[in-house]
Amino acid sequence: MATPQDRQLVEQWRSIQTTYFRTAGAIDRALESRFNIGLTEFEILDLVAESADAACRMKQLGERTPMTQSAMSKVVDRLDKAGLISRHSCEDDRRSLFLELTDAGRALHRAAAIEHRALLKENLA
Amino acid sequence: MATPQDRQLVEQWRSIQTTYFRTAGAIDRALESRFNIGLTEFEILDLVAESADAACRMKQLGERTPMTQSAMSKVVDRLDKAGLISRHSCEDDRRSLFLELTDAGRALHRAAAIEHRALLKENLA
DNA sequence: CCAATTTATATGACGCGTCATTGAATGACA
DNA sequence: TGTCATTCAATGACGCGTCATATAAATTGG
């Protein structure tokens, strides 16, 4: 019933879960308390900061994160309301949006990224 | 600012996230549709099934999963209401509870575990 | 050029997890 | 023994993610 391979799979899975929760939790709490944004918000900022091109991005971003389309839409909405990001409708295809960091967003991302990388290093060792 | 080591950390982290979400999502949907329980519920069943001893377990279980005490309490509550688990207050320390699978719980666990292991195998390859 | 279909994003209802707190039992110790 | 601190579990308020759907724009086929 429970083969040794099964046990090993379960072990591996629990280890991934533990790492994931520990790391995500640590980052989330740190960003929340120091910058008032959650991990999810940071991850979108991080993705937008990474893509320097001016393509219609909302969609492409979705391909680079395990987030749902719905989740993304709401995170972006929060970031917009917080003044960290701006949404511009795309001329070529008016269904699409492309995103840009505001100055405040860029500054916050710069600071938060340091925290983020440090905690990754600490937790993924 | 973004050292190669930083990039590597971020890559590693995204890979963990992707694996985690893909796997958890797959298992969750499968268990939900076939057995009407979520991944979290299954994980508690699995832990209880594993520990054959009759110790006061609620607390110990908490040490074996990244779940919050609060989360555990609610999951156990759902499992109890679903008739899959029973809570007995502990004689020695009446603050503690210990948990036991009901027959239905044991049966469901047996069936769901097969699904669970198969999906782990599929996703953690 | 007009349906029918498909694609990009937004939104409302809902469930679950988290935080902070509560209640209850136990322990510590003067 | 009485008080104060600690520990275990449950709960209510709240926020976020998910699913199903809505809206709007673009594409496709006749």
Side-chain angles (χ1 to χ4, degrees), chain B residues 17-96:
Chain B
Q17 285 186 302
T18 302
T19 303
Y20 176 75
F21 280 117
R22 181 172 24 82
T23 309
I27 299 177
D28 200 55
R29 280 187 293 277
L31 295 182
E32 198 72 63
S33 74
R34 294 176 212 189
F35 304 100
N36 264 297
I37 62 171
L39 173 54
T40 315
E41 278 84 359
F42 174 79
E43 282 173 343
I44 295 297
L45 290 183
D46 210 30
L47 285 175
V48 175
E50 252 175 39
S51 44
D53 60 314
C56 301
R57 297 212 206 92
M58 193 82 177
K59 185 70 198 319
Q60 281 102 311
L61 250 54
E63 293 159 8
R64 305 220 275 146
T65 153
M67 260 183 259
T68 302
Q69 176 270 316
S70 173
M72 273 223 19
S73 178
K74 297 190 181 188
V75 176
V76 168
D77 204 53
R78 272 176 263 146
L79 287 170
D80 190 351
K81 277 172 183 137
L84 300 171
I85 223 175
S86 62
R87 283 181 276 205
H88 306 284
S89 79
C90 178
E91 304 287 310
D92 305 359
D93 182 345
R94 280 180 324 203
R95 292 168 303 180
S96 297

Side-chain angles (χ1 to χ4, degrees), chain A residues 22-35:
Chain A
R22 181 171 24 81
T23 309
I27 299 176
D28 200 55
R29 280 186 293 277
L31 296 181
E32 198 72 63
S33 73
R34 293 176 212 189
F35 304 99

Side-chain angles (χ1 to χ4, degrees), chain A residues 6-106:
Chain A
D6 276 356
R7 293 192 186 287
Q8 199 237 313
L9 271 174
V10 173
E11 276 318 301
Q12 187 189 346
W13 173 237
R14 287 192 186 153
S15 152
I16 291 175
Q17 284 186 303
T18 302
T19 304
Y20 176 75
F21 279 118
R22 181 171 24 81
T23 309
I27 299 176
D28 200 55
R29 280 186 293 277
L31 296 181
E32 198 72 63
S33 73
R34 293 176 212 189
F35 304 99
N36 265 296
I37 61 170
L39 173 55
T40 316
E41 278 84 359
F42 175 79
E43 283 173 344
I44 294 297
L45 289 184
D46 211 29
L47 285 176
V48 175
E50 252 176 38
S51 45
D53 60 313
C56 301
R57 294 213 208 90
M58 193 80 178
K59 186 70 198 316
Q60 281 102 313
L61 250 52
E63 293 160 7
R64 304 220 275 145
T65 154
M67 258 182 261
T68 303
Q69 177 270 317
S70 173
M72 274 223 20
S73 176
K74 297 191 179 187
V75 176
V76 167
D77 204 52
R78 275 176 261 146
L79 287 169
D80 190 352
K81 276 174 182 134
L84 299 171
I85 225 176
S86 62
R87 282 181 275 203
H88 306 285
S89 79
C90 178
E91 305 286 310
D92 305 0
D93 182 344
R94 280 178 325 202
R95 291 169 304 180
S96 297
L97 289 182
F98 73 100
L99 310 176
E100 212 173 347
L101 295 183
T102 62
D103 291 345
R106 215 179 312 278

